Amino acid sequence: MCVCVPLTFKAFILCLSAGCSITWFNTVCFVLCIKNFPNNSPLALSLSISFNGLTAALYNLIATEISSHDNINSTSYLILNAFLPLITSIAALFPILQSSGNNLQTDDTDNKDDAHTFTFLYILAGITGLYLLFFDTPSQSILLVVMLLVVFPLMSPKFVYALKRAHHVEEQSYSLVERNSNSEFFEEQSTSILKRCGLGMFDKIVAKDQLVVLGEEHAASVLVTRIDFWLYYIGYFCTGTIGLVYSNNLGQICQSLGYGSETEAIVTIYSTCSFFGRLISSVPDLISCFYSPHMITKRYTARTGWLALSLVPMPVAFLVLFFSGSKSSLSLATGLIGISSGFVFSAAVSITSELFGSKSTGINHNILITNIPLGSLLYGVLGGVIYDHHIKGSNEVVFVGGSRVCMGRECYNETFGWWGCISLFGLGLTFLLYVRTKRAYQDYYQRRNLSYVIYRDVF
């Protein structure tokens, strides 16, 4: 007797296994980046997370090549999802095992090579992103994409090393974090500044349970007791997660606003801006590779400050959507949300590592991103309730694919207002996190500059 398994159950198992695999795979990638590139981990993380944004374009290109251009079905994508991750994982297994068995302590020469290799990879990533996301799929060459995504990245370390040997490039590199060195002096200095400011209650909020030293390891039990973690958690929940929910609902949003035929173009705008937002997140680290610590100390900005700055476009974007339903407004707002959310996704791993310890990043970051399924549920329910309410109150009945849909600006206008207010609240919490952690970053940069001066005087 044949036992028929419902299609919905198959889809549920597939989504469950895929979700678990993604979480595991991302965690391993993050830990490997931090472990193998201790001095340039933000650059390694930014690149690996950025290339995630190109997966859809790459799969679409391969599916087009192996199928008829006019007859691409879901089977092609299922086959790709079944075999490509497996092949890639097996190929990556050998260098991972080899690096795990070696002593991962790096010297200055290795760090200098890494900095220039990452510069080359950043340029390559930008070219690849522009090519995949702006050229029409039929005009793209699978051979060129393979060269950009596989051959050139594998060759780049040897290529950069050969150039440096030819031109005798010299750079200085430094590690994070020399703990407790001169921290008492800087803590006293920061406290006196707070007292002179006389900001009353705000001083108390900033000073309570304030993070003093970067890189201090936090176990999960300690992590959940820190005020800085909850500012970070809720800030992410109110910003990055909203951007993700917005992208997941772009098809329905475009349909409601009357731009259903432009859905593919709007999604491309979001994907492109998210990709470059992820790359931009580590541009300060890329620039700092070519300046001395003394110059960086004068112009330093805490990574949490860059995070807060990157979130400014998000409430602005929802404000634009609230007041205008034009196609240009939708495109502009989608691009701004893509940049902000992409920046958050990429910078979050580095911030978790810096604030709460690199050795605990795997566990701590997974605790942080529990806000994503929680936020997806809550924000999705909020948007769904408002959407259904307008369907019931509408005099116009519209059916698409046998289902009744809501058409018009009012379908999502109220939702945009709520999401804008929530993202503005998240921006405020992130700014407070920046104020609370600025002293720890200043301490780090000052001590790195001191180490540079000592090294220069001795050698």
Side-chain angles (χ1 to χ4, degrees):
M1 184 178 66
C2 179
V3 178
C4 296
V5 180
L7 185 61
T8 53
F9 181 75
K10 294 179 182 178
F12 171 76
I13 295 299
L14 183 62
C15 291
L16 179 64
S17 59
C20 293
S21 300
I22 289 170
T23 304
W24 174 257
F25 188 79
N26 285 343
T27 302
V28 172
C29 286
F30 297 157
V31 171
L32 284 172
C33 286
I34 293 170
K35 184 178 179 181
N36 287 276
F37 304 99
N39 300 325
N40 297 294
S41 58
L43 298 175
L45 290 166
S46 175
L47 280 169
S48 62
I49 296 171
S50 296
F51 276 108
N52 284 345
L54 298 178
T55 305
L58 176 62
Y59 272 42
N60 189 36
L61 175 59
I62 298 175
T64 304
E65 291 290 333
I66 65 177
S67 308
S68 171
H69 286 265
D70 299 324
N71 188 28
I72 302 175
N73 53 42
S74 58
T75 305
S76 302
Y77 294 101
L78 288 174
I79 292 173
L80 289 174
N81 277 310
F83 290 102
L84 267 188
L86 178 63
I87 295 170
T88 306
S89 299
I90 293 173
L93 182 62
F94 298 103
I96 290 173
L97 292 176
Q98 184 179 10
S99 66
S100 299
N102 297 331
N103 182 9
L104 296 175
Q105 296 295 328
T106 58
D107 56 22
D108 289 341
T109 303
D110 292 333
N111 294 328
K112 289 181 284 185
D113 291 341
D114 287 346
H116 289 81
T117 300
F118 282 126
T119 303
F120 180 80
L121 288 174
Y122 256 75
I123 297 171
L124 188 63
I127 295 172
T128 306
L130 290 171
Y131 180 76
L132 282 175
L133 297 172
F134 284 110
F135 280 77
D136 292 334
T137 301
S139 64
Q140 293 173 354
S141 167
I142 187 67
L143 178 61
L144 180 57
V145 172
V146 170
M147 293 288 289
L148 287 171
L149 288 177
V150 180
V151 179
F152 288 165
L154 288 176
M155 293 174 55
S156 60
K158 296 296 183 182
F159 175 72
V160 172
Y161 180 71
L163 285 179
K164 291 186 67 179
R165 286 289 299 270
H167 295 281
H168 303 287
V169 179
E170 294 292 335
E171 282 285 345
Q172 188 61 46
S173 188
Y174 304 90
S175 61
L176 179 91
V177 156
E178 295 177 38
R179 292 181 50 193
N180 299 326
S181 173
N182 296 323
S183 59
E184 294 179 0
F185 168 75
F186 292 112
E187 184 176 353
E188 251 178 49
Q189 188 181 46
S190 299
T191 304
S192 64
I193 292 173
L194 285 175
K195 289 180 180 179
R196 286 199 301 270
C197 290
L199 297 179
M201 185 59 68
F202 186 73
D203 286 356
K204 294 179 181 179
I205 294 174
V206 171
K208 185 177 180 180
D209 191 31
Q210 188 177 10
L211 193 71
V212 178
V213 180
L214 289 185
E216 185 176 2
E217 297 297 331
H218 287 68
S221 56
V222 177
L223 181 76
V224 296
T225 63
R226 297 301 301 261
I227 293 176
D228 292 309
F229 169 74
W230 288 110
L231 288 173
Y232 185 29
Y233 185 95
I234 300 173
Y236 194 121
F237 175 81
C238 294
T239 53
T241 303
I242 286 185
L244 184 62
V245 174
Y246 175 82
S247 68
N248 290 338
N249 287 273
L250 260 179
Q252 197 172 57
I253 291 171
C254 292
Q255 182 188 68
S256 296
L257 293 176
Y259 307 116
S261 60
E262 302 293 333
T263 301
E264 184 178 347
I266 300 298
V267 171
T268 300
I269 291 173
Y270 178 87
S271 300
T272 304
C273 292
S274 177
F275 170 75
F276 286 105
R278 299 177 194 205
L279 280 182
I280 291 170
S281 66
S282 287
V283 166
D285 299 278
L286 190 65
I287 295 173
S288 68
C289 291
F290 303 97
Y291 288 91
S292 69
H294 177 67
M295 296 293 294
I296 298 170
T297 303
K298 289 182 177 180
R299 298 173 174 82
Y300 89 97
T301 300
R303 195 178 304 279
T304 48
W306 285 108
L307 178 66
L309 185 63
S310 73
L311 295 175
V312 172
M314 187 168 288
V316 174
F318 285 118
L319 186 67
V320 170
L321 289 172
F322 183 79
F323 285 107
S324 176
S326 65
K327 180 183 172 182
S328 58
S329 298
L330 177 62
S331 301
L332 173 63
T334 300
L336 292 175
I337 294 171
I339 291 173
S340 291
S341 56
F343 194 107
V344 173
F345 299 148
S346 182
V349 186
S350 298
I351 293 174
T352 303
S353 174
E354 290 175 349
L355 297 185
F356 308 114
S358 59
K359 295 180 180 178
S360 310
T361 301
I363 297 174
N364 292 345
H365 189 69
N366 279 317
I367 294 174
L368 171 71
I369 60 176
T370 56
N371 75 80
I372 293 179
L374 179 62
S376 298
L377 175 63
L378 294 178
Y379 298 138
V381 168
L382 172 64
V385 168
I386 296 173
Y387 185 86
D388 291 340
H389 173 73
H390 285 292
I391 288 180
K392 294 175 182 178
S394 175
N395 295 325
E396 183 182 2
V397 179
V398 180
F399 286 92
V400 176
S403 300
R404 189 177 179 184
V405 298
C406 180
M407 298 297 293
R409 282 188 58 202
E410 66 277 0
C411 302
Y412 273 95
N413 213 43
E414 190 176 343
T415 303
F416 292 148
W418 278 105
W419 286 353
C421 292
I422 294 171
S423 62
L424 185 62
F425 177 69
L427 172 61
L429 291 181
T430 308
F431 178 75
L432 182 58
L433 176 67
Y434 160 65
V435 174
R436 286 175 55 87
T437 57
K438 183 180 179 181
R439 181 179 63 177
Y441 278 95
Q442 182 181 19
D443 187 358
Y444 161 60
Y445 281 108
Q446 292 281 4
R447 285 186 285 105
R448 191 172 71 166
N449 187 30
L450 180 62
S451 300
Y452 168 74
V453 172
I454 294 174
Y455 179 91
R456 185 185 60 187
D457 292 343
V458 171
F459 297 98

